[in-house]
């Protein structure tokens, strides 16, 4: 019952300071304790047992958005939103196949999908980013988040 509210427009409002998201994370943990009839404080084992993500929903959707962009499955409106380093220069570097991070002078731009998307996708390992289909990417990304508990 709560998950659709967390997913709705998450890419637009999820990139903000952690203190702004603290009430949402607390509500998610409280709902999980109610559903699981648990009273103890640590919710990490409950999240792992139920294979749920804490408030990594934003990062999950961000990663999938970047995967969709890289595989050209987004609408054409997004074609010029991000650039690869190989599009900027022709010589071979170790980060040639990574996304180029744009210059951000304000925190508003720093927390936007324009900067956070490439930053997060570049931080993922090549096993996850080298997925051949969206289903395998989602599965590997979910396993990555569950391994953090």
């Amino acid at each position: 019952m709560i998950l659709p509210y967390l997913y709705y427009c998450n890419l637009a409002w999820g990139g903000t300071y952690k203190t702004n998201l603290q009430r949402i994370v607390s509500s998610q943990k409280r709902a999980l304790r109610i559903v699981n009839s648990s009273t103890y404080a640590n919710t990490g084992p409950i999240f792992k047992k139920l294979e749920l993500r804490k408030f990594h929903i934003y990062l999950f959707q961000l990663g999938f958005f970047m995967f969709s962009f890289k595989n050209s499955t987004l609408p054409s409106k997004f074609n010029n939103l991000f650039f690869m380093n190989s599009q900027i220069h022709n010589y071979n570097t170790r980060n040639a196949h990574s996304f180029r991070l744009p210059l951000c002078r304000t925190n508003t731009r720093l927390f936007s999908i324009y900067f956070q998307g490439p930053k997060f996708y570049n931080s993922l390992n090549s096993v996850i980013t080298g997925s051949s289909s969206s289903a395998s990417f989602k599965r590997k990304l979910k396993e990555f988040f569950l391994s953090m508990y």
Side-chain angles (χ1 to χ4, degrees), residues 49-104:
K49 181 179 84 173
L50 297 176
E51 294 186 1
L52 294 173
R53 295 172 296 279
K54 287 184 184 176
F55 197 71
H56 294 296
I57 296 168
Y58 171 70
L59 294 177
F60 184 79
Q61 287 185 333
L62 188 65
F64 185 67
F65 182 82
M66 294 304 295
F67 178 80
S68 299
F69 175 82
K70 191 170 184 181
N71 291 321
S72 301
T73 57
L74 292 175
S76 61
K77 185 104 172 149
F78 296 104
N79 284 348
N80 296 325
L81 188 59
F82 307 109
F83 296 101
M84 303 294 283
N85 283 332
S86 60
Q87 293 174 314
I88 305 300
H89 53 74
N90 294 332
Y91 47 91
N92 193 14
T93 62
R94 67 181 141 197
N95 292 323
H97 299 293
S98 298
F99 284 100
R100 184 165 184 87
L101 294 177
L103 177 65
C104 298

Side-chain angles (χ1 to χ4, degrees), residues 6-66:
L6 296 177
Y7 271 105
Y8 182 72
C9 284
N10 192 294
L11 288 177
W13 59 263
T16 185
Y17 295 104
K18 289 184 180 186
T19 55
N20 293 343
L21 298 174
Q22 191 59 40
R23 291 178 63 197
I24 296 171
V25 172
S26 297
S27 299
Q28 184 186 20
K29 288 180 178 182
R30 190 176 320 121
L32 187 66
R33 284 189 195 107
I34 291 169
V35 169
N36 202 35
S37 302
S38 177
T39 56
Y40 62 92
N42 190 4
T43 57
I46 301 171
F47 277 104
K48 187 169 186 171
K49 181 179 84 173
L50 297 176
E51 294 186 1
L52 294 173
R53 295 172 296 279
K54 287 184 184 176
F55 197 71
H56 294 296
I57 296 168
Y58 171 70
L59 294 177
F60 184 79
Q61 287 185 333
L62 188 65
F64 185 67
F65 182 82
M66 294 304 295

Side-chain angles (χ1 to χ4, degrees), residues 90-134:
N90 294 332
Y91 47 91
N92 193 14
T93 62
R94 67 181 141 197
N95 292 323
H97 299 293
S98 298
F99 284 100
R100 184 165 184 87
L101 294 177
L103 177 65
C104 298
R105 295 183 183 174
T106 63
N107 283 346
T108 304
R109 186 78 178 240
L110 192 68
F111 286 125
S112 71
I113 192 172
Y114 182 68
F115 182 80
Q116 291 295 319
K119 180 182 171 190
F120 176 67
Y121 197 80
N122 290 343
S123 71
L124 295 174
N125 63 21
S126 61
V127 174
I128 298 172
T129 59
S131 299
S132 58
S133 67
S134 60

